[in-house]
Amino acid sequence: MSMPVSPLAPKGGFPNLPVVDGARFAAVEAGVRYSGRTDVTLVELCPGTVIAGTFTRSKTRSAPVLDCRAKLGGASESGAAILVNSGNSNAFTGIKGVEAVRAITSETAKALSIPEARVFTASTGVIGEPLAHDRITAVIETLADTLQPNAIADAAQAIMTTDTYPKGASQQVEIDGKTVTITGIAKGSGMIAPDMATMLVYVFTDALIGFDALQSMVTQGCDSTFNCITVDSDTSTSDTLLVAATGRSGVDVTGVSSFEHALTQVMDDLAKQVVRDGEGASKFVTVNVTGAVSHADAHRVAMSIANSPLVKTAVAGEDPNWGRVVMAVGKSGAEADRDRLSIRFGDVLVAENGQVAEGYVEAEAAAHMTQDEVTISVDLGLGSDAATVFTCDLTAQYISINADYRS
Amino acid sequence: MSMPVSPLAPKGGFPNLPVVDGARFAAVEAGVRYSGRTDVTLVELCPGTVIAGTFTRSKTRSAPVLDCRAKLGGASESGAAILVNSGNSNAFTGIKGVEAVRAITSETAKALSIPEARVFTASTGVIGEPLAHDRITAVIETLADTLQPNAIADAAQAIMTTDTYPKGASQQVEIDGKTVTITGIAKGSGMIAPDMATMLVYVFTDALIGFDALQSMVTQGCDSTFNCITVDSDTSTSDTLLVAATGRSGVDVTGVSSFEHALTQVMDDLAKQVVRDGEGASKFVTVNVTGAVSHADAHRVAMSIANSPLVKTAVAGEDPNWGRVVMAVGKSGAEADRDRLSIRFGDVLVAENGQVAEGYVEAEAAAHMTQDEVTISVDLGLGSDAATVFTCDLTAQYISINADYRS
């Protein structure tokens, strides 16, 4: 299946990502499920690399997710590796799934002469079919022999499933006169409603930092980035975000806010690229909620709007159908008072105090809806807490992708 | 907009509903929004009629819902009326909405010589636009003059919006040698994920019963019928279910289980007819969840499966994609253990103990998926609680209906 690139894809194609000292990449075609494309990637990380991460909170987590989770925070003296395959998620595969993870981590550890406890794997694709792990172990030597510092674009390509373009982002920060680099890649397009993490995201930095400090930055960054996006309200069994700090810059970033800010920027950039590649998406939608009694309530209302099929289809139809926004606020379960609500599409005030705004001209709101990027803002008028969520519209193409594709 | 009748509509068209003594119906074309069809209906109920009901729990409830709610349980000596318009929901219309309800109830009370406190109104259609209530008050005299005991089919027709067929159901029970009749009508097709009630549902019976006893039967019946259906996870601002008992049979049904059973049957029948008319639906889907630690957990898992766009599109594509069922179990938030799950499509055991079942033949599950009625059964393997939810698939037609129609 070959889909045209999303109309919302960043212009200019995959960015030119600066090399992160201490990280090397390789990708090959192993025929896990797809043919004629790469589907397995290996990342080698130098001794001393600290790895933090977050994972899906699904109760039906995949075997690789459980394995990775257990390994976070371990000793970092030796080198480490990340091995990812696309085409099969190795989720809901019982003991066979555990054996597949063991076979892959063991072969990878051997090829790179590192402990198994330092090999992090992920699998993405069909759920429930046994993973043909022998196809993966068969290519590990080749991967190990072809590792290169500047091949991150190949890795971004190899981890795609229904993605229509590879996703990458980077930031560089000057700290104490030295440059610290952060680069990251992600995949994701459908089954996107992350809960603690999204799909597959790998971020690399040459910063020097301990596990606890890095994990805290990652958890916080995730809350305002990957946990604020949704394509279709469905949460994956495989969501994995790993952030690897090689330390090679020699710059200690513990507690350095410019670094934390840059890291969050990379995560934000990748999260939005996932939304821009939402299955069938034709519009990028920002949902702002203000005036809530708590952040949790603001987030709940924003997610209720962002996940409403009736709001999403109205956006697809370029219809400033604010009645459906009212409906989504009402069903969210958050505290709300109909007669204090106000709603804007873009800058156009559509409704306030529980009714259509004085002097509202529908043509003005309709004009905003014709754009590629649509903003829906709701003020609940009750408190001072706010939240923003990013999503896309729901089109007939989402249906045709998912009525045919086996994910 | 004229949609073809849903392929899942009950065969044989609108049923021949027996007359309920004490209830009379009329419908007219008032031009509220639609033209060339009836859009206002009036039901007159005899003195002594007891009216129970449930309503949406949305925080953005419509003015008529708030008005009806306040009137439940009032004195029943005098006659009563139900007046419903389609085309405009009078929701999120501020003080204008309250004034519209007042104008309509006052004119209706005058025309039928009953107290305003006994006039129940409902409005369904576009949210947020002021209701042209003068078009409704202008036809109330005509409605009052044309009331007939056997015109319930006209009422069922007049309350439709995106419905492709009118919905009716009935039951008759023999109690103490006398016949008690229950008939009901409903409308609903999109924005269906009722919470305490659904869209608009009106049930009439000639049974004799007090408010508290009737309300308790209605609340309980609702839990296993209207609260167990979903079309698109979106909850209406107008959901209203009223059950009116005229008492004319002279049969006291307080605590009579055969009556309660028959009443629940009528509600169940109407609830399923709403699902069968789900916007764009091509398949009727039953989701059974067993082995849960609580009923609430079982219901949560069933709703998570029934509302998952990826499960719904797989059903549309006739794909026995059980991996998506696993995903929906995992994201539900309910207690679940991946390695105890089993899943069936129809009678075909697809997965058990956290992996694909021994001897599973996909062609067998695929054959089940080609049918009009699909059953997905999940056993969580943890406890003894169960729940069943009814839904439909998600097709490209849902998108085209909702990207164009202003609801």
Side-chain angles (χ1 to χ4, degrees), chain A residues 47 100 131 191 216 243 289 380:
Chain A
L131 175 63
M191 208 178 275
S216 149
V243 179
V289 174
L380 297 173

Side-chain angles (χ1 to χ4, degrees), chain A residues 183-243:
Chain A
T183 68
I185 57 174
K187 65 84 47 179
S189 180
M191 208 178 275
I192 299 281
D195 184 17
M196 284 305 282
T198 190
M199 309 285 75
L200 300 183
V201 186
Y202 298 101
V203 177
F204 307 96
T205 175
D206 51 11
L208 184 66
I209 186 167
F211 173 75
D212 289 343
L214 183 60
Q215 182 64 45
S216 149
M217 285 184 188
V218 169
T219 302
Q220 270 199 279
C222 205
D223 269 349
S224 64
T225 58
F226 295 110
N227 285 351
C228 291
I229 65 171
T230 179
V231 166
D232 54 7
S233 79
D234 277 340
T235 301
S236 163
T237 46
S238 306
D239 294 346
T240 298
L241 159 67
L242 290 180
V243 179

Side-chain angles (χ1 to χ4, degrees), chain B residues 289-370:
Chain B
V289 174
T290 51
V293 296
S294 67
H295 175 74
D297 259 20
H299 186 76
R300 191 175 301 136
V301 170
M303 275 292 180
S304 179
I305 295 168
N307 281 327
S308 159
L310 289 173
V311 171
K312 293 167 94 78
T313 48
V315 173
E318 304 189 339
D319 178 5
N321 191 322
W322 57 276
R324 294 182 184 173
V325 176
V326 172
M327 177 281 297
V329 172
K331 77 164 181 168
S332 71
E335 204 170 310
D337 177 344
R338 189 191 62 183
D339 297 335
R340 288 180 179 216
L341 276 187
S342 66
I343 299 170
R344 285 170 204 268
F345 286 111
D347 295 330
V348 184
L349 179 67
V350 173
E352 61 181 338
N353 301 327
Q355 57 189 307
V356 68
E358 290 291 328
Y360 168 60
V361 178
E362 181 162 303
E364 290 172 10
H368 177 71
M369 302 302 286
T370 63

Side-chain angles (χ1 to χ4, degrees), chain B residues 49 59 79 86 117 121 140 146 161 211 241 273 287 291 359 377:
Chain B
T49 297
K59 288 283 169 61
S86 54
T121 72
I140 288 174
T146 53
T161 54
F211 174 75
L241 159 67
Q273 287 193 48
V287 180
S377 302

Side-chain angles (χ1 to χ4, degrees), chain A residues 40-396:
Chain A
V40 181
T41 191
L42 175 66
V43 185
E44 182 206 46
L45 296 155
C46 66
T49 297
V50 168
I51 298 176
T54 61
F55 304 91
T56 181
R57 286 197 290 202
S58 166
K59 289 281 169 62
T60 54
R61 285 185 284 254
S62 69
V65 163
L66 291 171
D67 185 66
C68 277
R69 219 162 164 251
K71 289 172 171 172
L72 277 194
S76 63
E77 298 78 38
S78 51
I82 298 170
L83 188 134
V84 185
N85 74 272
S86 55
N88 181 313
S89 72
N90 194 18
F92 210 67
T93 43
I95 187 68
K96 287 194 197 104
V98 177
E99 286 164 4
V101 171
R102 206 171 296 150
I104 293 166
T105 53
S106 142
E107 284 302 309
T108 306
K110 219 182 293 171
L112 298 179
S113 304
I114 57 174
E116 267 189 64
R118 293 281 282 163
V119 180
F120 296 80
T121 73
S123 296
T124 178
V126 183
I127 297 171
E129 294 183 11
L131 175 63
H133 57 84
D134 51 322
R135 297 188 195 167
I136 296 169
T137 49
V139 300
I140 288 175
E141 279 297 339
T142 310
L143 285 164
D145 291 346
T146 53
L147 289 161
Q148 288 183 55
N150 60 355
I152 193 171
D154 298 341
Q157 195 84 42
I159 62 176
M160 288 166 54
T161 54
T162 53
D163 304 64
T164 72
Y165 61 87
K167 297 160 189 72
S170 72
Q171 289 278 326
Q172 290 186 310
V173 259
E174 298 296 314
I175 298 169
D176 298 339
K178 285 187 180 167
T179 301
V180 175
T181 299
I182 307 167
T183 68
I185 57 174
K187 65 84 47 179
S189 180
M191 208 178 275
I192 299 281
D195 184 17
M196 284 305 282
T198 190
M199 309 285 75
L200 300 183
V201 186
Y202 298 101
V203 177
F204 307 96
T205 175
D206 51 11
L208 184 66
I209 186 167
F211 173 75
D212 289 343
L214 183 60
Q215 182 64 45
S216 149
M217 285 184 188
V218 169
T219 302
Q220 270 199 279
C222 205
D223 269 349
S224 64
T225 58
F226 295 110
N227 285 351
C228 291
I229 65 171
T230 179
V231 166
D232 54 7
S233 79
D234 277 340
T235 301
S236 163
T237 46
S238 306
D239 294 346
T240 298
L241 159 67
L242 290 180
V243 179
T246 67
R248 284 285 176 89
S249 68
V251 181
D252 189 338
V253 299
T254 312
V256 176
S257 66
S258 64
F259 174 80
E260 182 164 8
H261 180 73
L263 177 62
T264 305
Q265 278 294 108
V266 169
M267 289 162 69
D268 184 66
D269 191 337
L270 292 172
K272 287 178 181 156
Q273 286 193 49
V274 170
V275 172
R276 289 179 175 280
D277 205 7
E279 287 173 345
S282 75
K283 299 198 187 271
F284 180 89
V285 184
T286 302
V287 180
N288 296 313
V289 174
T290 52
V293 296
S294 67
H295 175 73
D297 259 20
H299 186 76
R300 191 174 302 138
V301 171
M303 276 291 180
S304 179
I305 296 168
N307 281 327
S308 160
L310 289 171
V311 171
K312 293 167 95 79
T313 48
V315 173
E318 304 190 339
D319 177 6
N321 191 321
W322 57 276
R324 293 182 184 174
V325 177
V326 172
M327 177 282 297
V329 171
K331 75 164 182 168
S332 70
E335 204 170 309
D337 178 345
R338 190 191 62 184
D339 296 335
R340 289 179 178 217
L341 275 187
S342 66
I343 299 170
R344 284 170 204 268
F345 286 109
D347 295 330
V348 184
L349 179 67
V350 173
E352 62 181 336
N353 301 328
Q355 56 189 306
V356 68
E358 287 291 329
Y360 167 61
V361 179
E362 180 163 303
E364 290 171 12
H368 176 73
M369 301 302 286
T370 63
Q371 301 182 25
D372 277 358
E373 310 216 350
V374 167
T375 302
I376 301 174
S377 302
V378 171
D379 191 291
L380 297 173
L382 296 175
S384 55
D385 280 298
T388 298
V389 157
F390 305 96
T391 190
C392 56
D393 55 345
L394 174 60
T395 67

Side-chain angles (χ1 to χ4, degrees), chain B residues 199-254:
Chain B
M199 310 287 74
L200 300 183
V201 186
Y202 299 102
V203 177
F204 308 97
T205 175
D206 51 12
L208 183 67
I209 186 168
F211 174 75
D212 290 343
L214 182 60
Q215 182 65 46
S216 149
M217 285 184 189
V218 169
T219 303
Q220 269 198 280
C222 205
D223 269 350
S224 65
T225 57
F226 295 110
N227 285 352
C228 291
I229 65 170
T230 179
V231 166
D232 54 7
S233 79
D234 276 340
T235 300
S236 161
T237 46
S238 305
D239 292 346
T240 297
L241 159 67
L242 290 182
V243 179
T246 67
R248 284 284 176 92
S249 68
V251 181
D252 189 337
V253 299
T254 313

